[in-house]
Amino acid sequence: MIYLDYQATTPLAPEARDAMLRWLDGPDGTGFGNPHSPHKFGRMAAAAVEAARDKVAALFPPGGRVIFTGSATEALNLAIRGSGKGGSVSVSAIEHAAVLDTAEALGTAHILNVSKEGQCNTAQDVPNDVRLIAVMQVNNEIGTIQPTIDWHRKAKANNALFLIDAVQAYGKIEVTGADMIAVSAHKLHGPKGVGALWVRDGIALEEQITGGGQEAGLRSGTLSPALIAGFGAAAALAKERMEADAAHVEALCGRARELFADWTLNGSEDARWHGNLNLRKDGLDVNRLMSECRNVMFSAGSACASGSGRPSHVLKAIGLSDKQAKSSIRLGFGRYTTLEQLEVAAQIINAAAGDQGV
Ligand code: PLP
């Protein structure tokens, strides 16, 4: 089996798994304490949480704090719903549903356009009453890198807060400045079920989950030391390996472009994370392709959108027709993908596409 769906999730790093095991102890161990208990086991668990928090924070800009959540979706909800009421929330047309649907649920969403290359540029107006702008750093479907530094500047000029969904960027490229940044452990070889919101010092948020008042009153609920320790280990590893991982991915991407030379690339050639290739062949029946390539795991869009039968909102936003969007595939690769795996996968996918006569 060959896994080429790194934007959906990434394999757990062995180092992250090892860091977690200590905090999954049974009754004979010492690692099962509640990190909010004042006794010894509790304090040990709390120390593990704080050590991991430092490692997670080390990948963010200075001058902010890290709030652990159960996912990036929850972090984005806290940022969008908790940062104010009234006023418009401007979001790019290619945001993940966690941003788009949340902004729309508030009834004040304003959609920012993107170019054919998948770039959301700042030469467009935002509403006068804008209170929050959200633009993701790396797109999960087409890999395009957005001009977040420019958007941060524009948000400031409009007295709005700026939120980055950095789920696909964090641990891979430097995360740029913002007022709030949401991330998820499972996209950087950490465990599923834990995310974080980074919040710039001085920005007040309103809690969205009430209860025991954990995370400085901003996110109630007992933290999971095991998941957080895994997240911390994954973040530390990503920091250490950032250059090596990026070089590996770039080499894979170069070879993939040769292997898929007769496919059309969706999104920008240059402003992109190289671990993502969204490719199309006009006339391709992607469902048939996927069922004929069962030993290669890739996607027809985002993991959340595929299966809905709807054409991708991201591909539609960059100007593709429904037909073109539905004849596109997403290949995602990274740290643990080998050149050989990529070559075998390309052979299988190209042969199956060839059988369709496209
Ligand atoms: N934002 C982006 C860009 C994503 O790719 C994802 C996951 O696919 C999310 C948000 C949601 O992350 P989580 O799975 O942690 O809720």
Side-chain angles (χ1 to χ4, degrees):
M1 300 294 266
I2 300 173
Y3 184 75
L4 293 183
D5 203 8
Y6 268 58
Q7 278 74 51
T9 196
T10 55
L12 187 67
E15 292 86 344
R17 182 180 178 277
D18 289 349
M20 291 166 69
L21 292 178
R22 163 86 184 80
W23 306 103
L24 292 170
D25 273 354
D28 297 333
T30 58
F32 61 82
N34 182 328
H36 314 294
S37 297
H39 52 58
K40 185 157 184 203
F41 284 0
R43 280 186 278 114
M44 284 163 58
V49 165
E50 293 318 310
R53 197 187 302 274
D54 288 347
K55 291 176 185 158
V56 170
L59 282 169
F60 285 117
R65 62 198 192 282
V66 169
I67 301 159
F68 285 120
T69 60
S71 62
T73 299
E74 189 196 325
L76 290 161
N77 268 268
L78 174 58
I80 296 168
R81 296 176 191 272
S83 60
K85 289 197 169 60
S88 298
V89 177
S90 286
V91 304
S92 90
I94 58 170
E95 293 301 300
H96 187 274
V99 170
L100 272 173
D101 290 6
T102 307
E104 271 162 15
L106 293 178
T108 53
H110 162 255
I111 307 297
L112 299 163
N113 295 322
V114 295
S115 69
K116 280 195 173 342
E117 281 71 45
Q119 289 288 294
C120 181
N121 63 55
T122 50
Q124 53 187 313
D125 291 335
V126 290
N128 287 336
D129 69 341
V130 66
R131 72 160 175 89
L132 176 69
I133 297 177
V135 178
M136 70 198 335
Q137 194 165 351
V138 173
N139 184 266
N140 53 309
E141 290 194 39
I142 54 174
T144 46
I145 297 177
Q146 301 301 320
T148 44
I149 295 172
D150 297 344
W151 275 109
H152 190 197
R153 225 174 273 135
K154 180 147 178 151
K156 267 191 201 153
N158 284 274
N159 291 320
L161 292 175
F162 182 50
L163 164 67
I164 296 180
D165 171 348
V167 167
Q168 301 286 346
Y170 178 79
K172 300 189 180 80
I173 58 174
E174 197 182 333
V175 173
T176 56
D179 296 305
M180 296 174 287
I181 306 170
V183 300
S184 186
H186 74 101
K187 309 286 182 167
L188 80 153
H189 308 292
K192 289 160 204 47
V194 59
L197 182 67
W198 177 90
V199 186
R200 181 176 295 290
D201 291 338
I203 290 174
L205 285 180
E206 192 180 312
E207 65 196 329
Q208 299 301 304
I209 298 179
T210 49
Q214 289 91 346
E215 294 299 84
L218 283 173
R219 196 270 186 178
S220 288
T222 304
L223 291 174
S224 164
L227 294 179
I228 289 172
F231 189 0
L237 193 64
K239 188 168 165 61
E240 188 186 306
R241 296 186 48 125
M242 199 178 284
E243 265 182 46
D245 283 351
H248 175 61
V249 155
E250 208 167 324
L252 290 173
C253 185
R255 182 70 185 121
R257 293 305 304 276
E258 290 168 4
L259 294 165
F260 292 97
D262 54 347
W263 294 63
T264 304
L265 179 71
N266 293 325
S268 167
E269 283 276 348
D270 309 314
R272 63 182 304 105
W273 166 246
H274 293 289
N276 168 296
L277 275 183
N278 197 308
L279 303 166
R280 74 172 190 272
K281 261 195 176 208
D282 289 338
L284 184 72
D285 179 340
V286 171
N287 287 336
R288 192 178 141 199
L289 183 81
M290 290 182 78
S291 71
E292 282 166 2
C293 300
R294 288 199 189 278
N295 290 336
V296 185
M297 283 163 279
F298 59 98
S299 163
S302 71
C304 331
S306 57
S308 69
R310 284 193 313 261
S312 145
H313 71 282
V314 174
L315 297 180
K316 294 283 288 173
I318 63 171
L320 267 58
S321 66
D322 283 10
K323 248 183 161 174
Q324 286 173 319
K326 285 185 166 184
S327 47
S328 299
I329 61 170
R330 180 184 70 179
L331 305 178
F333 36 85
R335 185 186 296 162
Y336 303 107
T337 313
T338 65
L339 197 56
E340 194 199 349
Q341 286 177 326
L342 196 62
E343 286 174 343
V344 173
Q347 208 176 11
I348 295 170
I349 294 170
N350 279 324
D355 286 348
Q356 294 187 23
V358 294

